[in-house]
Amino acid sequence: MSGGPAVRVSIESQCERQVQEVSLDGLETYVPLLSMSQNLAKLAQWMDFDQSSDSEQDGPERESREPWSKPEPEEDEGAVKFQPSLWPWDSVRNNLRGALTEMCVLHDVLSVLKEKKYMALDPVSQDPSTPQVFQLISKKKSLATAAQLLLKGAEKLNKSLAENQEQRRQRDFNSELLRLRSQWKLRKVGDKILGDLSYRSAGSLFPHHGTFEVIKNTDLDLDKKVPDDYCPLSVQIPSDLEGSAYIKVSIQKQSPDIGDLGTVSLFRRQPKAKPGKTWHVKLEAAQNVLLCKEIFAQLSREAVQIKSQIPHIVVKNQIISQPFPGLQLSISLCHSTGEKRSQGASPEKSKPDDHLYVLEHNLHQLIREFHKQTLSSVVMPHPASAPFGHKRLRLAGPMAYDKAEISSLQQSEGLLEKIIKQAKHIFLRSRSIQLQLNIGVEQIRVVHRDGRVITLSHQEQELQDFLLSQMSQHQVHAVQQLAKVMGWHVLSFSNHVGLGPIESIGNASAITVTSPNGEYTISVRNGPESGCKVLVQFPRSQAKELPKSDVLQDARWTHLRGPYKEVHWSRMEGRNFVYKMELLMAALTPCP
Amino acid sequence: SVFHVCQVPVAEGKSVQQTVDMLHKKLEQLGAVKQGNFWVDCETYQATGNATGQPTKLLYVMHNSETPLSSMALFEGGPGLTADANFDVLMVKLKSHFQNAKGHKVESRGTRYRYCDFLVKIGTVAMSSSARGISVEVEYCACVIPGDCWNLMKEFMQSFLGSSTPELPAVFTSKAEGLYAPVDCMDTMSQYLELFGKVRKQQVLAGSGVR
């Protein structure tokens, strides 16, 4: 455009050439430009012919064909675009040439092989199968693992089984212990289990401890056969309570020699000493022994302390007393431990019915009564400082009771006295039983004590009459026995007297007895219908209505018996005939 | 029963035992019957922990064979206590408060005579096994009020004690109701205590006659 000054615009072409060097004088030397073929070669160098996918998929034949054809199209390409320089393609060409060579070789080899004349293919031997040793070892190992598992399992089972058995054994012991506990008192002291078999909790004051120990009996080898009487629990009783014992009460007529007392073991029963007695039997036996010991201790204590007219003899394990003259009551404690049998027989072979079981039973009952009294509400509960006894006795101290008051509160009769009374009663009673009635279907058979057998028919009147006659006879017999006991002498005795009024039922019987010193005589005539008639004969000195005789002048004749006097029997004191007679006899026996 | 305890002085020129025998004979002549033995004893305990200046209190624990299950504890002229026989054990436990003066134990032992309703107990009072005097206790069992039977008892005592018949003991008169209060076992024990006190004070005088 015109109009203004011209602006000079400098145009510089892009610097296409790189500066190779700058000389010292500032002259720049440029790198010579590449020609177009050079440029192409440079770019071709950057290309990776191996990576192209098309060339890979072709088989080796293609490859064999390709090698010499490949450089040609590339050469052609080079020729089209640039002047190819073989220098960047060298490596490619070498690689290709190498591949070609190898393919040719391969081809040659294959073709030679095909002819099978000069070359043959031989397969390479495979790896052989593993030898048997290894098979064995591997099988062994696998079996061993399996066996290990099984063994572990078996071991576990065994253990659990053993545990079960052990538990069962333990459980047996525990169940036995439970049963034991339900019947006996047990307590645990340390690691021992102790029990109490004394009667202390029932009210006994006997100082024996009565402790037994419970022992576990589980050291049993379960492989061996379990014995029949096996019990996992056993008890150990105190040594002085071993064996069995009983109290023997007997009445003897003759008194044995004093020297023989206490030297002979009177144990009659042979104990069946079973070695494996169960705890129940053992404990009961031991408790019985303890009770017998207590009874005997109480009796002997009373025998020594209580002053009675008849002294009691206490020798070792026997107490002897004489309730009636000529009659001897012996109470002995018979204790045998399991090992030894009764040593020898006692000199008097006492008959079995000599052994008064009733009195033994009564002794047991009495001691149990005594125990109960200790626990009665009169005694229990009691303060710890008070002694055992009646409640009122606790006031004796503070109220300053004197001896009379104290004795009125305390028990008067002891065990021994009671037993002696009972023995007396038994003795008298046994002497009085005369009849035994066997009541049959049609008839009644009566067996008399002296062997007579009488058969009665069904009519009750007969029996009544018979019994009446027996009663009257019995009363006279009673007088006879009483006379023996009281020391009176029987002068005459007749079951069927011929004198006096005739009885319509049976016969009357009569007896005459005289006192020990001969002063008095009692005559009794007893009939079933006529009743009882008792006459007493006094010595002449006591009779007032006797005239003084000229013939009998000596004073001693007055001691003879004189006239008879009748006794108003119905007004006589006494519950029954025997009591009355006893009283009469006692009244006529003067005190010495 | 009314009890009366008195001390009989030892006869001139005779020992304690001889005087006792004389009394026994007199009673037997009277018609009394021997009925066993008796004993009464007294132990002295000193109360510790007293303020200084005050005399130590003495506690006496006594026993009587007539009341075998009791123990009596009394202060001289002061209150008394009747207790169970366990009281002695209690005294042992109270050792720190009451100390037993062992040398001061006095006891009276002898025989009992019974004459109808009267019980006469003649005992030799001994202190540490040396006879110091004679105690005579007369019990009239039929009455409990001293006022009613004192004259009778006095008459009875005169019959065998002669001149040494004592007067009415202070114990009966010192009571609130006087002579007409029923007798307690404490009264008996107080009488014995008085007697033992006298005997203790007598000391060697009577002891020289022991043979």
Side-chain angles (χ1 to χ4, degrees):
Chain A
M1 299 228 346
S2 62
V7 177
R8 270 194 120 179
V9 177
S10 28
I11 300 173
E12 217 173 79
S13 64
Q14 194 186 18
C15 191
E16 291 177 14
R17 291 184 187 172
Q18 272 191 331
V19 179
Q20 196 173 18
E21 77 171 311
V22 178
S23 65
L24 287 165
D25 53 2
L27 193 71
E28 290 174 345
T29 320
Y30 297 103
V31 173
L33 268 174
L34 289 173
S35 66
M36 284 181 78
S37 57
Q38 280 181 332
N39 222 7
L40 178 67
K42 197 168 112 183
L43 287 172
Q45 254 190 333
W46 284 356
M47 276 196 278
D48 192 6
F49 288 100
D50 282 326
Q51 274 189 356
S52 86
S53 56
D54 294 331
S55 60
E56 286 272 315
Q57 278 176 5
D58 295 340
E61 292 126 51
R62 270 300 274 294
E63 242 183 76
S64 62
R65 268 190 287 132
E66 283 288 309
W68 56 74
S69 59
K70 237 194 186 170
E72 282 172 46
E74 279 172 58
E75 271 180 336
D76 287 346
E77 265 182 29
V80 166
K81 284 184 191 174
F82 307 98
Q83 286 280 324
S85 128
L86 288 173
W87 181 65
W89 298 101
D90 222 5
S91 62
V92 175
R93 192 191 54 186
N94 287 340
N95 282 343
L96 285 172
R97 221 176 246 160
L100 172 68
T101 319
E102 282 195 41
M103 287 314 295
C104 287
V105 167
L106 185 61
H107 180 261
D108 289 338
V109 165
L110 284 173
S111 52
V112 166
L113 274 176
K114 223 165 143 186
E115 283 188 33
K116 287 188 191 167
K117 258 201 231 177
Y118 311 103
M119 238 197 265
L121 272 177
D122 231 348
V124 174
S125 63
Q126 295 276 321
D127 264 331
S129 56
T130 49
Q132 279 193 339
V133 178
F134 290 134
Q135 265 186 346
L136 212 70
I137 292 176
S138 69
K139 276 205 179 125
K140 203 173 169 185
K141 256 198 187 155
S142 52
L143 281 172
T145 327
Q148 198 73 24
L149 281 169
L150 286 171
L151 275 174
K152 249 199 231 171
E155 209 183 283
K156 275 196 191 154
L157 278 174
N158 260 352
K159 230 196 270 179
S160 75
L161 186 72
E163 257 176 37
N164 260 356
Q165 273 186 342
E166 183 63 39
Q167 257 184 28
R168 220 187 320 128
R169 241 193 276 148
Q170 288 291 327
R171 241 185 282 130
D172 276 344
F173 173 74
N174 284 336
S175 60
E176 282 292 318
L177 191 65
L178 203 67
R179 270 171 59 200
L180 182 67
R181 235 192 109 186
S182 66
Q183 293 175 5
W184 298 88
K185 281 192 341 173
L186 297 176
R187 65 181 196 272
K188 199 161 166 91
V189 172
D191 58 346
K192 285 200 277 189
I193 303 176
L194 299 175
D196 182 19
L197 54 76
S198 73
Y199 277 88
R200 227 169 299 140
S201 53
S204 162
L205 296 173
F206 198 53
H208 198 282
H209 56 90
T211 319
F212 65 90
E213 195 184 329
V214 177
I215 299 171
K216 217 183 211 180
N217 204 1
T218 48
D219 306 327
L220 195 71
D221 197 358
L222 284 168
D223 293 334
K224 299 186 198 147
K225 183 171 172 287
V226 174
D228 280 334
D229 56 350
Y230 164 68
C231 186
L233 192 145
S234 73
V235 291
Q236 184 163 30
I237 49 179
S239 54
D240 55 344
L241 298 180
E242 273 174 25
S244 60
Y246 63 93
I247 301 261
K248 176 170 178 244
V249 182
S250 65
I251 293 183
Q252 285 131 22
K253 291 199 195 98
Q254 77 278 23
S255 44
D257 190 10
I258 295 280
D260 276 345
L261 294 172
T263 55
V264 172
S265 155
L266 298 162
F267 203 83
R268 285 276 136 227
R269 280 181 238 156
Q270 313 291 329
K272 290 181 218 150
K274 273 197 297 191
K277 269 198 255 184
T278 56
W279 48 263
H280 188 70
V281 174
K282 256 196 203 175
L283 288 173
E284 279 196 355
Q287 200 175 47
N288 189 41
V289 172
L290 186 60
L291 191 67
C292 290
K293 282 195 176 202
E294 183 177 351
I295 293 173
F296 196 75
Q298 172 90 352
L299 286 171
S300 36
R301 194 179 34 233
E302 283 175 19
V304 170
Q305 278 178 357
I306 294 173
K307 298 180 188 105
S308 68
Q309 287 168 342
I310 317 147
H312 314 287
I313 308 170
V314 181
V315 182
K316 219 169 134 186
N317 64 339
Q318 240 188 345
I319 300 173
I320 297 179
S321 140
Q322 290 203 323
F324 293 130
L327 194 75
Q328 184 178 275
L329 174 74
S330 104
I331 304 173
S332 42
L333 170 69
C334 308
H335 181 194
S336 98
T337 50
E339 300 94 33
K340 41 190 165 95
R341 305 248 159 149
S342 52
Q343 296 150 351
S346 60
E348 350 92 52
K349 297 247 171 24
S350 42
K351 297 169 287 199
D353 38 62
D354 222 17
H355 196 174
L356 293 165
Y357 295 103
V358 179
L359 288 186
E360 284 167 43
H361 178 72
N362 283 353
L363 274 172
H364 279 258
Q365 296 272 60
L366 284 170
I367 202 89
R368 291 291 297 127
E369 271 295 316
F370 177 70
H371 289 174
K372 277 191 207 138
Q373 271 189 359
T374 326
L375 291 178
S376 69
S377 64
V378 166
V379 175
M380 292 290 245
H382 78 111
S385 54
F388 266 118
H390 201 281
K391 256 197 272 197
R392 297 252 171 84
L393 265 183
R394 287 179 223 150
L395 288 174
M399 304 290 276
Y401 282 4
D402 60 7
K403 287 189 226 173
E405 287 168 0
I406 292 172
S407 58
S408 73
L409 279 176
Q410 279 176 336
Q411 233 186 358
S412 48
E413 234 178 32
L415 209 60
L416 189 63
E417 283 178 15
K418 285 191 187 156
I419 282 298
I420 289 180
K421 274 194 191 168
Q422 289 181 1
K424 280 193 202 173
H425 170 73
I426 284 183
F427 174 72
L428 271 183
R429 218 188 51 199
S430 72
R431 294 288 169 265
S432 315
I433 293 172
Q434 305 235 8
L435 295 179
Q436 182 196 348
L437 283 177
N438 288 341
I439 301 180
V441 179
E442 293 277 340
Q443 299 159 338
I444 299 173
R445 208 167 73 127
V446 182
V447 182
H448 204 267
R449 200 167 210 241
D450 44 3
R452 283 181 283 155
V453 179
I454 299 163
T455 315
L456 301 171
S457 74
H458 65 279
Q459 291 188 335
E460 67 271 12
Q461 190 61 40
E462 264 189 51
L463 185 61
Q464 208 174 5
D465 294 343
F466 179 71
L467 286 175
L468 272 173
S469 65
Q470 282 307 306
M471 269 163 60
S472 80
Q473 267 193 4
H474 163 73
Q475 284 185 340
V476 172
H477 277 276
V479 174
Q480 188 189 30
Q481 297 299 326
L482 208 55
K484 265 196 233 166
V485 166
M486 306 268 295
W488 283 52
H489 308 291
V490 176
L491 288 182
S492 78
F493 171 68
S494 169
N495 255 330
H496 314 275
V497 289
L499 306 167
I502 301 175
E503 310 278 334
S504 58
I505 313 158
N507 285 324
S509 22
I511 187 171
T512 309
V513 291
T514 183
S515 68
N517 58 5
E519 281 189 340
Y520 299 92
T521 303
I522 299 177
S523 292
V524 181
R525 185 187 190 272
N526 200 322
E529 246 190 334
S530 54
C532 181
K533 201 162 173 188
V534 183
L535 289 153
V536 177
Q537 191 182 25
F538 290 86
R540 295 177 77 91
S541 51
Q542 290 185 15
K544 289 170 201 108
E545 51 271 351
L546 275 183
K548 292 267 179 191
S549 168
D550 294 326
V551 180
L552 305 169
Q553 280 170 358
D554 211 349
R556 62 189 167 164
W557 300 116
T558 54
H559 293 295
L560 287 180
R561 292 191 293 273
Y564 280 87
K565 262 195 184 169
E566 187 169 352
V567 177
H568 291 276
W569 202 243
S570 49
R571 282 163 37 185
M572 189 75 189
E573 250 186 60
R575 257 192 293 158
N576 56 28
F577 182 84
V578 180
Y579 278 117
K580 289 183 187 179
M581 188 53 68
E582 194 178 343
L583 189 63
L584 183 64
M585 284 184 176
L588 294 175
T589 316
C591 308
Chain B
S1 346
V2 178
F3 299 84
H4 175 69
V5 181
C6 63
Q7 185 182 9
V8 172
V10 181
E12 289 294 323
K14 293 222 166 92
S15 73
V16 173
Q17 187 56 42
Q18 285 174 330
T19 321
V20 167
D21 289 337
M22 256 171 46
L23 284 167
H24 285 177
K25 231 187 253 173
K26 275 201 190 146
L27 279 170
E28 272 159 23
Q29 272 177 352
L30 206 55
V33 174
K34 209 171 186 184
Q35 214 185 48
N37 293 333
F38 85 102
W39 50 263
V40 175
D41 68 48
C42 169
E43 287 177 12
T44 319
Y45 286 85
Q46 267 185 335
T48 58
N50 261 354
T52 48
Q54 277 182 356
T56 46
K57 284 208 116 182
L58 292 171
L59 175 72
Y60 299 98
V61 176
M62 307 182 69
H63 306 93
N64 190 348
S65 61
E66 293 297 306
T67 56
L69 300 175
S70 319
S71 296
M72 270 73 72
L74 45 148
F75 287 107
E76 193 153 6
L81 159 83
T82 319
D84 205 31
N86 287 331
F87 189 76
D88 303 324
V89 184
L90 187 64
M91 286 312 288
V92 174
K93 294 221 188 281
L94 291 173
K95 246 192 294 201
S96 51
H97 293 274
F98 286 100
Q99 279 182 344
N100 191 353
K102 288 199 178 74
H104 286 257
K105 179 166 177 178
V106 189
E107 61 174 20
S108 169
R109 275 178 194 273
T111 38
R112 286 164 94 219
Y113 281 91
R114 189 180 190 97
Y115 180 64
C116 298
D117 281 332
F118 288 96
L119 259 175
V120 183
K121 295 177 203 149
I122 303 186
T124 317
V125 180
M127 189 157 151
S128 41
S129 61
S130 66
R132 299 287 188 91
I134 303 170
S135 77
V136 172
E137 181 193 329
V138 176
E139 178 188 341
Y140 182 54
C141 310
C143 184
V144 288
I145 296 174
D148 289 342
C149 60
W150 170 246
N151 290 324
L152 178 64
M153 282 175 75
K154 190 164 169 187
E155 211 177 301
F156 175 67
M157 283 193 277
Q158 263 175 355
S159 63
F160 66 95
L161 285 176
S163 52
S164 31
T165 311
E167 288 308 316
L168 194 65
V171 171
F172 298 139
T173 46
S174 61
K175 282 206 197 152
E177 302 95 355
L179 282 178
Y180 296 93
V183 168
D184 197 6
C185 70
M186 261 309 135
D187 302 327
T188 324
M189 288 296 127
S190 325
Q191 293 182 54
Y192 265 110
L193 190 61
E194 228 180 276
L195 191 145
F196 289 159
K198 269 189 233 163
V199 166
R200 248 189 245 122
K201 286 188 194 118
Q202 265 181 356
Q203 286 204 355
V204 197
L205 200 62
S208 58
V210 174
R211 201 77 4 123

